[in-house]
Amino acid sequence: MWHNIAAFIIKFRIALLIVLLASTGIMGYFAAQIKISYEFTSAVPTDNAKYIEYQSFRKQFGEDGNLMVIGVQTKDFFSTAFFNDYAALAKQVAKVPSVENVLSIPGAITLVKDTATQKLKVSPIAADFPLASVDSFRQVFLNLPFYKGFLYNPETDAYMMAVRIDKNVLNSKDRAAVINSIVALASDFGKKYNIEMHYSGLPLIRTEMALKVQSEMRLFLILSFILTAVILVLFFRSFMAVLASMLVVAIGVVWSMGTIVLLGYKITILTALIPPLVVVIGIPNCVYLLNRYHYEYYRNPNKMKSLLRMVDRMGIVTFFTNLTAAIGFGVFFFTKSTLLKEFGLVAGINILGLFFISLVFIPAFFSFLPPPNVRHTSYLESSWINKLLTRITNWVFGHRAWIYSFTIIVCVFSVIGLTRLRNDAHIVDDLPKSDKVYVDLKFFEKNFRGVMPLELVIDTKRKNGVLSLDVLGKMDKLTTYLQQYPEIGRPLAITEGIKFANQAYFGGDTSNYEVPGDMIQAAFIMPYLRTNKGDNNTMFNRLLHSFIDSTKQKARISVSMADIGSRRLPGLLDSIRPEVNKLFDSAKFNVTYTGTSITFLEGSKFIVNSLRDSLILAFLIIFGCMIALFRSWRILLISIVVNIVPLLITAGLMGWMGIRIKPSTVLVFSVALGITIDVTIRFLVNFKQELSRHDDSIANTVHRTIHDTGLSIIYTSLILIAGFSVFILSQFDGTKSLGYLTSITLLLAMVTNLTLLPALLLWMDKVIEKKNDAAAFLMGEDDNDVIKL
């Protein structure tokens, strides 16, 4: 079959090249329309209970992830010049397009009791700026406990400004401009007073990460091209070989970006990795094909015949290596995570596409070029490679016991390391500790206990149930209880507004900052709680919209907390639940834990579990392909052992090095499996093809296969290792992990495929009876069966 395919490609090479180039032009048109995703793509499937609860919360109470915060730490905050300029900064920020409102100390309000009507009126502490003196403002403001721990921390002299941004803009390309405008204004203020400004909140975090993804995609694409080109020059010493390889992967990159657009996707932190991955994975195709072309021409200097034999002998190898790599990525499509589905589908399609691109382009391109000269094929006789392969061969034949013993010892240590692995992920987990976003997040965690949203929704199961003083008292007790946890910031709820009003009603005495204890004391509050939706003049109406649903059946307690990670968060929630259950009887109330922190925890667990399941699925599909290719359970067993060992060692190293299990590190194993199995297939296919030429002698065939495939295995592995090592330069720890852990796995796979694999083939030869021919070995059948090579 492959001989006929080879003949077809050579015969119709001009037409095939035209079709290939035309297809690339079409894909290039779509690739030019590619866009960056500014949306927070949830890892949680839409039918997940936590996701449904979160969407219900957003529908009732609005967005919880559209608050950006600006922090400053100084002892001179209430100095006249600084305070007035800070007030001016708040006004400037409020004028930035798409900023809905700004909550700051200069804009703080107070409640004033109207002695004539006995009602409360909302009044700003200071109506006009600049102030001639800040002393009176400071005295009034510091007498309002409502703001303590929320806008300022008196113990650390830290002050915060909260900026709420239109959620629709946050999901568009205009988000970066809005965030940058706010940061620029605050930065100018900081420079004026030579003071560091701190920024955080999900809008800023997501924007910064999106921009980093965009810049890194370009960087990795350029570096992967340069690095692979250098290695190819050192390998082939031929400009045309390098040019052809670069054109193949360039076409693959265009196709991958066009595919993203055609499928209606955008560039995310995962799909941004696909173009450089196409470069890294596409180059081995070219190396395998060109190496075979040079080898055939070296044996028989006939260009067209060599090209035919190249496709004939390497077509099946290239197909299965691309197929298994595509499976390694493509299984992510079968998860329920949108992020993983997009990555898996695009990567799987384009890795298979690389097979067709290289199979058509390489023979067609070189058919128009002069045959290779001696300089181009001199690498086939490289002395250091031949010496290395000879040494490997001697070890395989003379020291198999050492190979087995060393492998077993390393695997035992790896299993021990495996038990040390811990599952833990953070919202800003992938950012380095020195990054401004990470440093500023820690500033807010230290001074305000964090900015990550956690929401508790109290469902009273009856209309107007929230208005009950008993319910309000229980909510107040819960908010007080929550503040004992150092990871949890100042809770906000309707009770805080009621306490604020109670203090104002009784003359501003801070001792009256409490929820009224009886209906007589609370009688003045009820009119405010029953305000109409259209009344926008009272503070309570705004609180109602934010913290109570329209039926007043549900109330929200909003908490900002530290990014404590997916491992500690469940324990924290479990420690809170007993008190919640004590206060809110499940027969009368329903309490829901939601918010971005909860959905992140659920998403992290879901991705890790999905990647684990996809790894198992990849194993089953890939080794099913191995059975279809070799039709031997013995070959399958050897392949499993040879490919599990590198993955096991990598997992063990992660345990010993303290590298946590998180989505970015689990991703390594499925990706590495799909690539490392390629080397096994390359070796075994060559072994199968050479067996009949060595009188079915497994020992002689193993000896020949090490020398025939060793060169291309070493070079392709080095190219893959170098290609993945580019990701180590990433600003994201997850991408770095993908780079160096995959490189380590590929290096280990190269070693095991050149040592353990041939050693196991020789060991299996000893297991089979002396008179069993090689056909029985490959087929797993009787002596009378004949293998069809």
Side-chain angles (χ1 to χ4, degrees):
M1 180 183 74
W2 289 103
H3 180 79
N4 293 334
I5 292 174
F8 177 83
I9 291 173
I10 296 299
K11 183 177 181 180
F12 298 102
R13 58 189 183 277
I14 296 177
L16 289 173
L17 278 176
I18 292 173
V19 171
L20 179 63
L21 294 176
S23 302
T24 303
I26 294 172
M27 296 300 280
Y29 168 78
F30 288 105
Q33 303 175 37
I34 199 164
K35 297 178 181 178
I36 301 291
S37 173
Y38 292 95
E39 299 178 11
F40 182 68
T41 307
S42 176
V44 186
T46 54
D47 59 352
N48 181 276
K50 295 295 183 184
Y51 180 85
I52 294 172
E53 289 174 353
Y54 181 56
Q55 295 307 313
S56 175
F57 165 82
R58 293 175 64 187
K59 183 177 180 180
Q60 291 175 340
F61 298 102
E63 189 70 41
D64 74 324
N66 63 339
L67 193 69
M68 177 181 171
V69 291
I70 304 171
V72 64
Q73 191 170 24
T74 177
K75 293 182 179 298
D76 301 321
F77 185 82
F78 287 102
S79 65
T80 303
F82 187 97
F83 188 81
N84 284 327
D85 283 344
Y86 189 83
L89 171 64
K91 288 185 177 181
Q92 289 175 325
V93 170
K95 293 178 181 178
V96 173
S98 303
V99 170
E100 294 181 339
N101 57 67
V102 176
L103 183 57
S104 65
I105 292 176
I109 60 169
T110 186
L111 296 175
V112 180
K113 182 180 179 181
D114 189 327
T115 55
T117 63
Q118 295 296 302
K119 289 185 177 182
L120 299 175
K121 292 183 178 181
V122 178
S123 173
I125 298 176
D128 298 312
F129 287 92
L131 300 177
S133 174
V134 184
D135 292 340
S136 59
F137 182 99
R138 178 179 182 177
Q139 184 177 358
V140 173
F141 178 79
L142 295 181
N143 194 48
L144 300 174
F146 179 81
Y147 297 106
K148 185 178 179 181
F150 177 46
L151 289 183
Y152 73 101
N153 183 341
E155 296 175 359
T156 61
D157 295 313
Y159 302 87
M160 183 171 71
M161 181 187 301
V163 183
R164 191 169 297 278
I165 303 171
D166 183 359
K167 64 180 181 180
N168 295 319
V169 172
L170 293 179
N171 292 331
S172 72
K173 64 180 181 180
D174 298 326
R175 174 172 67 178
V178 174
I179 298 296
N180 290 338
S181 296
I182 296 172
V183 170
L185 291 171
S187 178
D188 289 341
F189 173 82
K191 289 177 182 177
K192 180 177 180 179
Y193 288 95
N194 194 27
I195 192 169
E196 184 178 5
M197 305 297 290
H198 303 274
Y199 316 94
S200 194
L202 290 179
L204 178 122
I205 291 172
R206 293 170 182 171
T207 300
E208 289 295 322
M209 293 187 74
L211 294 174
K212 291 179 190 294
V213 166
Q214 186 177 14
S215 63
E216 285 195 354
M217 187 183 75
R218 297 194 193 99
L219 174 65
F220 292 155
L221 194 56
I222 294 170
L223 287 179
S224 59
F225 265 103
I226 294 173
L227 192 57
T228 51
V230 170
I231 295 175
L232 286 172
V233 169
L234 295 175
F235 185 24
F236 291 117
R237 299 180 184 178
S238 167
F239 172 76
M240 298 312 295
V242 175
L243 177 63
S245 302
M246 291 295 101
L247 287 174
V248 166
V249 294
I251 293 172
V253 167
V254 172
W255 282 31
S256 67
M257 297 175 72
T259 304
I260 292 173
V261 176
L262 284 173
L263 293 174
Y265 301 156
K266 295 179 181 179
I267 291 292
T268 65
I269 192 169
L270 283 183
T271 53
L273 299 177
I274 293 176
L277 279 174
V278 165
V279 176
V280 173
I281 296 173
I283 289 297
N285 284 0
C286 304
V287 173
Y288 283 144
L289 292 170
L290 291 175
N291 176 235
R292 194 69 197 192
Y293 170 48
H294 291 160
Y295 176 76
E296 294 294 342
Y297 188 82
Y298 179 78
R299 289 176 56 188
N300 183 7
N302 184 311
K303 184 181 73 171
M304 300 308 290
K305 187 176 181 179
S306 298
L307 289 171
L308 284 168
R309 290 185 63 81
M310 173 189 74
V311 177
D312 186 17
R313 302 299 295 274
M314 295 306 299
I316 189 171
V317 176
T318 310
F319 173 71
F320 271 96
T321 55
N322 279 261
L323 177 62
T324 53
I327 290 171
F329 288 91
V331 289
F332 299 138
F333 177 73
F334 298 101
T335 69
K336 292 184 178 181
S337 167
T338 302
L339 202 63
L340 289 175
K341 285 175 77 76
E342 293 179 3
F343 176 70
L345 182 60
V346 175
I349 290 173
N350 285 281
I351 290 171
L352 276 179
L354 281 171
F355 163 72
F356 294 103
I357 294 169
S358 57
L359 194 70
V360 169
F361 188 82
I362 294 294
F365 183 77
F366 280 91
S367 68
F368 295 107
L369 299 178
N373 56 41
V374 176
R375 180 169 61 87
H376 298 155
T377 59
S378 61
Y379 70 91
L380 297 171
E381 296 179 336
S382 173
S383 59
W384 75 271
I385 283 287
N386 288 324
K387 287 179 181 178
L388 176 61
L389 294 176
T390 298
R391 181 167 294 185
I392 291 173
T393 304
N394 292 337
W395 262 91
V396 169
F397 279 84
H399 303 282
R400 289 201 299 278
W402 282 98
I403 294 174
Y404 302 146
S405 301
F406 183 76
T407 302
I408 292 171
I409 292 172
V410 172
C411 286
V412 169
F413 276 95
S414 298
V415 170
I416 297 173
L418 200 62
T419 61
R420 299 165 61 93
L421 283 174
R422 295 292 180 266
N423 184 354
D424 192 17
H426 297 254
I427 292 179
V428 293
D429 206 18
D430 284 341
L431 290 174
K433 304 298 182 287
S434 59
D435 190 272
K436 173 71 173 171
V437 174
Y438 183 87
V439 171
D440 284 355
L441 176 63
K442 293 305 171 185
F443 168 84
F444 286 100
E445 289 182 359
K446 178 182 178 181
N447 294 285
F448 298 97
R449 301 189 181 183
V451 295
M452 297 303 172
L454 171 65
E455 306 286 347
L456 279 73
V457 179
I458 314 296
D459 184 357
T460 63
K461 299 183 179 180
R462 66 184 190 277
K463 189 175 180 179
N464 293 319
V466 174
L467 304 185
S468 164
L469 279 183
D470 179 58
V471 173
L472 293 173
K474 291 177 183 293
M475 289 179 62
D476 186 46
K477 289 179 181 179
L478 179 57
T479 56
T480 303
Y481 174 80
L482 290 175
Q483 290 183 73
Q484 71 174 321
Y485 290 92
E487 304 91 346
I488 295 179
R490 169 78 181 275
L492 282 179
I494 188 64
T495 52
E496 296 303 309
I498 292 173
K499 289 156 71 174
F500 192 4
N502 197 61
Q503 177 189 359
Y505 192 80
F506 290 99
D509 188 350
T510 56
S511 64
N512 290 304
Y513 187 77
E514 60 183 4
V515 173
D518 53 58
M519 290 303 297
I520 297 175
Q521 184 182 2
F524 76 93
I525 294 178
M526 290 305 141
Y528 298 99
L529 290 175
R530 301 181 190 280
T531 52
N532 295 323
K533 186 174 182 181
D535 183 6
N536 293 318
N537 297 321
T538 67
M539 162 185 150
F540 281 106
N541 191 60
R542 291 191 290 272
L543 280 174
L544 284 175
H545 291 163
S546 298
F547 293 98
I548 301 179
D549 74 333
S550 59
T551 64
K552 301 179 180 62
Q553 176 179 317
K554 297 179 181 180
R556 158 195 183 187
I557 298 177
S558 183
V559 174
S560 292
M561 63 178 298
D563 182 17
I564 60 176
S566 60
R567 188 181 178 193
R568 288 180 57 199
L569 183 56
L572 177 65
L573 296 177
D574 289 341
S575 66
I576 292 172
R577 282 192 177 92
E579 183 68 18
V580 172
N581 295 336
K582 177 183 175 182
L583 290 170
F584 298 96
D585 185 356
S586 59
K588 298 179 180 179
F589 301 93
N590 182 32
V591 181
T592 302
Y593 302 80
T594 188
T596 303
S597 296
I598 298 295
T599 54
F600 168 76
L601 169 65
E602 193 70 16
S604 176
K605 285 165 35 182
F606 182 80
I607 286 182
V608 170
N609 293 336
S610 295
L611 289 171
R612 179 200 61 203
D613 296 341
S614 65
L615 179 61
I616 295 172
L617 180 60
F619 258 105
L620 295 175
I621 297 175
I622 288 173
F623 290 116
C625 293
M626 297 291 285
I627 292 177
L629 181 60
F630 298 107
R631 301 181 183 180
S632 168
W633 65 268
R634 295 186 180 98
I635 291 291
L636 176 63
L637 180 62
I638 291 173
S639 301
I640 291 174
V641 171
V642 170
N643 285 278
I644 282 182
V645 168
L647 298 177
L648 180 62
I649 295 174
T650 301
L653 284 173
M654 288 173 59
W656 286 111
M657 295 170 64
I659 300 173
R660 293 171 283 114
I661 286 289
K662 52 185 179 179
S664 53
T665 53
V666 178
L667 181 67
V668 170
F669 297 101
S670 289
V671 172
L673 175 64
I675 298 174
T676 57
I677 195 71
D678 296 355
V679 182
T680 306
I681 292 174
R682 173 76 178 94
F683 190 98
L684 290 175
V685 167
N686 194 89
F687 173 79
K688 179 179 177 180
Q689 291 174 340
E690 294 292 331
L691 192 58
S692 61
R693 299 177 185 176
H694 293 85
D695 298 324
D696 294 337
S697 170
I698 291 177
N700 291 339
T701 307
V702 166
H703 187 284
R704 184 68 258 167
T705 302
I706 292 175
H707 282 268
D708 284 352
T709 63
L711 180 68
S712 59
I713 286 175
I714 290 173
Y715 271 105
T716 52
S717 295
L718 291 177
I719 289 171
L720 287 168
I721 292 168
F724 275 98
S725 66
V726 167
F727 296 131
I728 297 175
L729 300 175
S730 173
Q731 300 177 70
F732 299 106
D733 286 346
T735 309
K736 285 183 180 179
S737 299
L738 178 66
Y740 68 77
L741 289 176
T742 305
S743 296
I744 290 172
T745 308
L746 293 173
L747 177 63
L748 293 168
M750 180 186 73
V751 174
T752 56
N753 277 282
L754 288 176
T755 55
L756 185 60
L757 175 56
L760 288 174
L761 288 172
L762 293 174
W763 176 72
M764 292 299 292
D765 186 30
K766 297 293 183 182
V767 174
I768 301 173
E769 295 179 2
K770 285 185 178 181
K771 292 184 179 180
N772 261 10
D773 57 20
F777 169 67
L778 284 176
M779 298 290 290
E781 301 291 347
D782 296 9
D783 297 349
N784 297 326
D785 288 338
V786 179
I787 186 170
K788 296 179 181 179
L789 297 176

